[in-house]
Amino acid sequence: MAVDRRGFLKFVAGVSAGVMVTPIPWKLLDDASIWTQNWPWIPSNVDGATSYVSTVSKLCPSCVGMKVRLVGDRPVRILPDENHPLSKGGISPLAVAEAQMLYSPARVKRPLKRAADGAYVAISWEEADALLAEKLGAAKGSIACVSGDETGSINEVLSSLAVQAGSGNFYLMPTEAQPAAKALAAMGGKGQLGYDIENSDYVLAIGANVLETWGPVISTRAAYKAARPHGEDPAVQFVFAGPVQNSTAAGADQWVPIKAGTEGVFALGIAHLLIKAGATADAADFSAFKSLAEAYTPAKVAEITGTNADQLKAVAAALLKARTPLVVCGSDFGQGTGAGTVMAGIAVNMLLGGLNRKGGLKLLPVAEPVVSSAMSRAEMMDKDFVSYMSRINAGKEKAPKAMVFYEANPAYALPQATKMSEVLGQVSFKVTFTTFLDETAMLCDLVLPVPMGLERLDDVATPYGYGQALYCLARPVAPMPASVKPAGDYIVALAGKLGCSLGVSSWEEVLQAKAKAMDADWDSLMDGNVFTSDATVSANLSFAADLLAKSVNVKAQEGNFAVAPVFKLGIGTAKTAIPPYNNKLIRRWELQGNELYVAMNGATARKLGVMMHDKIVISNKSGSINARVNIFEGIMNDTITVLMGLGHTAFDQFSKGKGENVMQLLTVGFEAGTGLSVWNMAGVTISKA
Amino acid sequence: MQAKEFKVKWGMAIDIDKCTGCGACMVACQAENNLSPIEDASNKIKVMNWLVVYELSNKKPFPEHDVAYLPRPCQQCGTPPCVSVCPVIATDKNEEGGIVSQIYPRCIGCRYCMAACPYHARYFNWLDPVWPEGMEKALTPDVSVRPRGVVEKCSFCHHRFMMAKDKAIVEGRDPEALADGEYVTSCTEACPNGAIVFGDLNNPDHQVYELARSKYASRLLERLHADTQVYYISRREWVRRQLDNYLDNEKVKG
Ligand code: SF4
């Protein structure tokens, strides 16, 4: 058959039209994309029956309550728990990743021993037991214990061990709880400070980062949520005073910029104005306090804190107008603050009639220890780890022969971190009970893996700051890895082997006794219920005016610029580093690759002659870090903000080597009057790199 | 283009004044929808996020500066620009609820939709999703893992919608009349500040119904007429001004 030109063109047109109309090419394209997506190395979902278990996070410092979704026996999601007072339908950005962290690459899976060449070798538990018994036996009388768990009864076991087999040296890692306890004790109070934010109608947070890191932050944020219906005028005012427009400032109705370390002065400025307006308090030394506050005139406070007098006056007036005002003093990065700051805050609450009143500052009862020879909560709070380390460094105290760490990472998290690691080097035997291979584990002779909170039975007793006495249990919801041992029972047995008599024979017995001491019902706790109590301890506080006068004084800082560390829960803690699911929370100009960005405002940048992205070196006598410049106007003049939680030298690919550790720049000083170690002011010099 | 109308229209009212930028919603989203972690998350081009919390600034120098945070899920447009450009109909908006779908096995990775989306809500899998060894055990069974080479986006946790509907059907209720709160997204549920309210924009019994009508409510780039299903609320005028490209002399709502 001959094909003419026209016929050929018709045929071509027909084919083209046919191709357009037939589904075949599209079907093939679709199939091809399906086939090319069936890649065997991509994990597929495994189904199973869903169930939920309520528990509390031992990983997140906010002690958030949570509901764990299990599929079969695998935890897959951490969800908020409506019924938990420390959750109230919210979850922290850290705890929400906890199920995934069970499989963190940084998890220690078996006991490790440091060999002579410095490398770690996996050993059996029997070998670890023998080594530990030998070394701790030899160090008896000179063992110190350090715990990174502020709320657990494990501290009773560890402190009993330190008292009976050591030299009484048991320490908690520094948080805001210690200065608060010191402040309360100095003012003649008993129990633990609780802030009834839920029932307050005006919350003034001076330094305390109440919507991000301070205290039981998720319960605070539940109160914040309840008081602020969408688009309506808020029923409760939140005001934040601090050097940086941080998360709390972002959520607050008002940000009052004040220099880091001047929180106490700001509070005294408020006290001055309240007294002027007629406020008084029923305390023996009120007149002494009055004359102290007299000196803190708005002009003087403005000069020291860098705030303006009008803003100070407006805040004082608003406090006077509020029905249930509450003042929370603390540190905007969760540590390093002095007792004086907290004392000044308590004093303002006293002037506002806020002691043990609804929506005020409460003194909560603390249960007596249940383990024989264990330190009481007050005794534990009195121990100052940073000052102990400084004494060893200065040769004023002998280094212990052995140190036992429990979920503590001092080699990363203490101020002047490198120096602190050097001090740890003076301790001849170090053992850590840890979930992750952290910086401290890398210094230890023996690393013992413990289960995560989701895999063990543990407890939480009234987290610092929460407005009620509280007790609840973390229950094991996930199976433990094979060669990991729960620390509770292990340390109880270890103490026994070292000849300590704890008066209890198992970890569960400790918890049961603790529940009883708190007046809580064990069976109900084991069902996931939370015990709370409205009881308070009667308060007859003094202002401790003399001490306050000394401790609140602001020292001159080194250099021309101040460093304000920024702590964000979502980016992890020293104990967790940056969880694999959380590094996406780091903002673009906080970290690029492994390079740290620090922020300053435009005026500061101009003063330094630097621009966005320029390289700088920030240094002081403690250390130095390299960074690039980011410009953010929510920072006071002459202040540099540095994100905390970076610069890890251990952990995994999600944390290691990223940025720099701001703790290197925080220099330890000692508070006048109380002697407490403080590092809430870091002066630095800055040069272009 | 006329927006498709549905009897049920899922939407959000996000109060920017209540968001403190903590990121709980972002992490909850990743865990719920099986997004994989990435070693270098500072490489924002390669990072996969269905929900991003942006930082807003009033651009004034200290001390007049103000900051705000804006969580951005897929805006679930009524007239989705991404749908009309997809050559293989891997994305569509035709189901009850008005959620813009994304069918991964159908996606050929051409990324037209990414170019079309005015909200940067779509992400391309440049890399294989990789979990550290064992972490795949924490994957939920509800959302399949997407391979390299396809585009993905927020689905308003569509699987939760299906589960809520199934539950209603089993209980003999109307699946198109779910009670307020019966179906919410993972980010809504996680936010400790309650910044995100989720519900049926067409149902007066749902909180979002009123909120979307608030004088402070507006939508992102509203004047593009994408007719999005995510409303933002702020009492601060400067924030509302930044939700669209307003000229200095133009008035904004509220
Ligand atoms: S969880 Fe809530 S407060 Fe936190 S970033 Fe998301 S929307 Fe904002």
Side-chain angles (χ1 to χ4, degrees):
Chain A
M1 197 178 83
V3 180
D4 59 5
R5 184 171 175 270
R6 174 175 297 221
F8 175 76
L9 287 177
K10 265 191 194 163
F11 177 74
V12 169
V15 168
S16 319
V19 166
M20 292 309 288
V21 174
T22 169
I24 289 171
W26 307 113
K27 177 74 183 130
L28 287 177
L29 204 57
D30 188 18
D31 283 358
S33 73
I34 293 172
W35 298 329
T36 54
Q37 290 179 35
N38 286 336
W39 294 346
W41 59 89
I42 290 181
S44 41
N45 317 59
V46 183
D47 211 351
T50 283
S51 58
Y52 299 92
V53 186
S54 289
T55 184
V56 64
S57 178
K58 287 300 288 179
L59 181 98
C60 178
S62 72
C63 303
V64 63
M66 55 195 194
K67 216 163 62 188
V68 182
R69 177 183 173 198
L70 296 157
V71 172
D73 66 352
R74 302 175 290 129
V76 298
R77 284 301 323 277
I78 304 296
L79 304 168
D81 185 351
E82 290 285 342
N83 299 320
H84 200 295
L86 297 177
S87 172
K88 288 191 190 134
I91 192 78
S92 77
L94 185 55
V96 75
E98 205 167 326
Q100 285 68 31
M101 286 180 74
L102 290 169
Y103 310 100
S104 161
R107 261 199 93 160
V108 190
K109 300 206 179 80
R110 52 192 65 82
L112 302 173
K113 181 180 101 170
R114 191 150 55 172
D117 62 357
Y120 284 93
V121 286
I123 56 171
S124 67
W125 273 99
E126 290 72 36
E127 215 179 314
D129 295 349
L131 182 68
L132 195 58
E134 180 208 320
K135 296 285 186 187
L136 291 187
K140 222 174 149 186
S142 180
I143 302 172
C145 300
V146 183
S147 164
D149 177 1
E150 194 184 287
T151 55
S153 297
I154 193 79
N155 295 336
E156 296 197 10
V157 179
L158 287 165
S159 65
S160 174
L161 188 147
V163 168
Q164 296 188 51
S167 45
N169 281 316
F170 167 76
Y171 295 96
L172 287 170
M173 285 293 286
T175 62
E176 300 208 54
Q178 292 107 330
K182 223 174 190 136
L184 183 61
M187 296 170 95
K190 292 232 155 28
Q192 183 178 319
L193 287 178
Y195 294 82
D196 188 9
I197 294 177
E198 197 179 333
N199 293 305
S200 168
D201 68 342
Y202 187 98
V203 181
L204 168 62
I206 311 177
N209 200 350
V210 292
L211 298 179
E212 180 65 34
T213 50
W214 178 91
V217 62
I218 302 305
S219 86
T220 306
R221 292 174 67 181
Y224 173 84
K225 163 183 175 176
R228 308 172 87 86
H230 272 46
E232 288 177 29
D233 287 339
V236 175
Q237 293 282 306
F238 278 76
V239 177
F240 175 73
V244 188
Q245 207 164 39
N246 58 11
S247 312
T248 301
D253 302 278
Q254 202 186 333
W255 170 44
V256 185
I258 62 166
K259 287 184 199 157
T262 66
E263 297 84 3
V265 171
F266 185 80
L268 286 183
I270 298 276
H272 171 98
L273 291 165
L274 296 182
I275 292 173
K276 243 175 115 186
T280 99
D282 191 16
D285 64 345
F286 174 68
S287 57
F289 177 71
K290 193 175 163 186
S291 44
L292 167 66
E294 191 76 56
Y296 287 88
T297 59
K300 177 170 169 184
V301 171
E303 192 197 315
I304 302 174
T305 64
T307 189
N308 75 54
D310 290 339
Q311 224 172 350
L312 180 76
K313 286 182 195 158
V315 172
L319 281 169
L320 280 167
K321 236 175 79 191
R323 276 176 303 109
T324 49
L326 177 62
V327 177
V328 189
C329 267
S331 149
D332 52 342
F333 61 102
Q335 51 173 272
T337 198
T341 308
V342 188
M343 284 164 71
I346 298 176
V348 176
N349 283 305
M350 285 164 72
L351 293 173
L352 292 166
L355 277 198
N356 280 342
R357 94 142 132 65
K358 202 171 171 209
L361 181 62
K362 305 222 165 157
L363 269 52
L364 308 175
V366 174
E368 286 302 312
V370 295
V371 174
S372 322
S373 323
M375 288 181 184
S376 68
R377 179 101 184 141
E379 285 166 334
M380 288 179 197
M381 288 293 155
D382 204 35
K383 302 285 278 182
D384 181 344
F385 186 41
V386 169
S387 112
Y388 176 60
M389 295 285 279
S390 306
R391 286 199 305 277
I392 297 175
N393 183 45
K396 290 187 190 144
E397 183 153 348
K398 256 178 71 187
K401 289 197 185 123
M403 259 195 184
V404 179
F405 302 102
Y406 172 78
E407 296 203 327
N409 187 11
Y412 173 86
L414 292 186
Q416 296 173 263
T418 311
K419 185 93 231 157
M420 295 294 175
S421 301
E422 280 167 31
V423 179
L424 289 178
Q426 297 183 26
V427 182
S428 43
F429 178 76
K430 295 178 285 296
V431 52
T432 180
F433 292 87
T434 184
T435 314
F436 304 109
L437 200 60
D438 57 21
E439 285 80 0
T440 303
M442 300 305 286
L443 293 177
C444 283
D445 305 281
L446 187 59
V447 182
L448 299 175
V450 297
M452 283 196 34
L454 286 177
E455 300 158 337
R456 67 185 196 229
L457 183 64
D458 209 334
D459 66 343
V460 167
T462 326
Y464 165 64
Y466 189 61
Q468 276 185 309
L470 174 147
Y471 190 68
C472 60
L473 295 178
R475 299 176 298 158
V477 297
M480 233 181 335
S483 49
V484 157
K485 282 195 182 180
D489 275 316
Y490 191 86
I491 301 174
V492 166
L494 174 70
K497 278 190 227 162
L498 290 169
C500 310
S501 54
L502 301 180
V504 283
S505 55
S506 72
W507 175 235
E508 192 166 326
E509 222 182 300
V510 174
L511 299 182
Q512 285 185 356
K514 185 75 177 190
K516 203 164 155 216
M518 296 284 301
D519 257 341
D521 177 57
W522 177 256
D523 294 333
S524 164
L525 292 171
M526 282 300 273
D527 285 340
N529 295 317
V530 179
F531 166 82
T532 55
S533 153
D534 280 329
T536 51
V537 182
S538 69
N540 201 356
L541 301 188
S542 81
F543 283 97
D546 291 347
L547 192 60
L548 189 51
K550 284 187 212 140
S551 56
V552 102
N553 256 334
V554 178
K555 283 195 200 133
Q557 68 178 30
E558 193 190 337
N560 296 328
F561 298 90
V563 164
V566 174
F567 182 14
K568 296 186 188 176
L569 222 43
I571 294 165
T573 64
K575 271 203 276 189
T576 64
I578 310 166
Y581 269 48
N582 294 39
N583 59 1
K584 294 180 190 175
L585 301 184
I586 301 175
R587 298 194 167 277
R588 188 165 190 195
W589 304 126
E590 287 174 339
L591 184 76
Q592 269 302 304
N594 290 337
E595 220 171 9
L596 175 73
Y597 269 75
V598 298
M600 61 183 75
N601 71 24
T604 311
R606 278 192 296 280
K607 190 166 173 181
L608 282 163
V610 295
M611 299 212 294
M612 178 90 187
H613 308 302
D614 277 357
K615 283 187 175 177
I616 54 171
V617 182
I618 309 164
S619 48
N620 61 16
K621 64 174 191 278
S622 299
S624 114
I625 61 179
N626 294 308
R628 283 186 189 263
V629 173
N630 178 26
I631 306 290
F632 178 64
E633 293 293 341
I635 305 174
M636 293 191 82
N637 290 344
D638 301 334
T639 303
I640 315 295
T641 65
V642 187
L643 188 61
M644 287 175 86
L646 301 173
H648 279 282
T649 53
F651 288 91
D652 51 29
Q653 67 271 34
F654 299 98
S655 301
K656 201 172 170 176
K658 295 192 189 288
E660 308 235 21
N661 183 5
V662 66
M663 300 307 289
Q664 305 287 11
L665 295 177
L666 302 185
T667 312
V668 178
F670 295 93
E671 189 180 41
T674 66
L676 189 67
S677 58
V678 285
W679 54 97
N680 55 350
M681 278 178 86
V684 288
T685 52
I686 295 174
S687 56
K688 282 199 238 182
Chain B
M1 194 169 126
Q2 191 67 37
K4 273 189 189 164
E5 276 310 326
F6 302 95
K7 188 172 158 220
V8 177
K9 199 158 93 179
W10 297 109
M12 282 179 182
I14 303 178
D15 190 338
I16 297 180
D17 298 347
K18 273 163 87 172
C19 173
T20 49
C22 72
C25 51
M26 277 176 71
V27 184
C29 169
Q30 291 181 69
E32 177 80 13
N33 293 298
N34 296 333
L35 273 74
S36 67
I38 178 169
E39 203 176 306
D40 179 12
S42 74
N43 184 343
K44 299 298 180 195
I45 290 176
K46 301 238 163 116
V47 163
M48 173 67 66
N49 274 318
W50 288 11
L51 172 67
V52 172
V53 179
Y54 288 96
E55 188 177 272
L56 307 182
S57 156
N58 69 348
K59 306 209 173 81
K60 292 197 178 154
F62 174 82
E64 263 89 55
H65 187 258
D66 196 8
V67 69
Y69 294 96
L70 181 144
R72 192 244 48 220
C74 166
Q75 308 287 301
Q76 316 293 355
C77 304
T79 55
C82 54
V83 166
S84 49
V85 298
C86 180
V88 292
I89 320 184
T91 178
D92 199 8
K93 185 179 179 99
N94 62 9
E95 199 198 344
E96 203 52 68
I99 298 171
V100 177
S101 63
Q102 178 73 8
I103 305 158
Y104 308 116
R106 196 179 272 181
C107 174
I108 54 169
C110 71
R111 287 168 274 152
Y112 287 1
C113 55
M114 287 175 66
C117 175
Y119 303 107
H120 292 288
R122 292 178 160 270
Y123 289 79
F124 183 64
N125 274 290
W126 289 99
L127 309 164
D128 267 336
V130 181
W131 280 263
E133 197 194 327
M135 205 180 280
E136 71 284 349
K137 294 201 196 83
L139 292 176
T140 74
D142 312 321
V143 186
S144 61
V145 169
R146 288 76 53 189
R148 182 174 72 203
V150 303
V151 168
E152 42 184 272
K153 70 176 264 294
C154 155
S155 67
F156 267 6
C157 295
H158 186 263
H159 56 284
R160 289 182 170 220
F161 179 29
M162 293 196 288
M163 282 186 232
K165 278 198 291 190
D166 287 352
K167 188 162 174 273
I169 291 166
V170 169
E171 290 168 4
R173 290 181 289 123
D174 179 1
E176 276 167 28
L178 296 175
D180 201 7
E182 216 177 324
Y183 154 45
V184 294
T185 63
S186 176
C187 54
T188 307
E189 176 188 68
C191 175
N193 295 3
I196 309 173
V197 172
F198 184 82
D200 178 3
L201 292 164
N202 288 342
N203 186 342
D205 294 337
H206 285 210
Q207 217 192 327
V208 282
Y209 181 90
E210 277 304 322
L211 294 178
R213 287 161 178 79
S214 152
K215 67 172 174 173
Y216 296 128
S218 52
R219 292 178 283 180
L220 284 187
L221 305 178
E222 202 152 31
R223 293 178 296 182
L224 284 181
H225 300 295
D227 199 14
T228 61
Q229 287 169 209
V230 177
Y231 289 79
Y232 288 93
I233 292 178
S234 178
R235 290 177 292 125
R236 288 176 278 185
E237 198 200 320
W238 73 262
V239 172
R240 295 198 302 275
R241 290 196 87 81
Q242 289 194 6
L243 301 184
D244 205 340
N245 297 306
Y246 289 96
L247 299 175
D248 285 347
N249 57 0
E250 262 182 308
K251 253 185 83 74
V252 288
K253 199 180 145 194

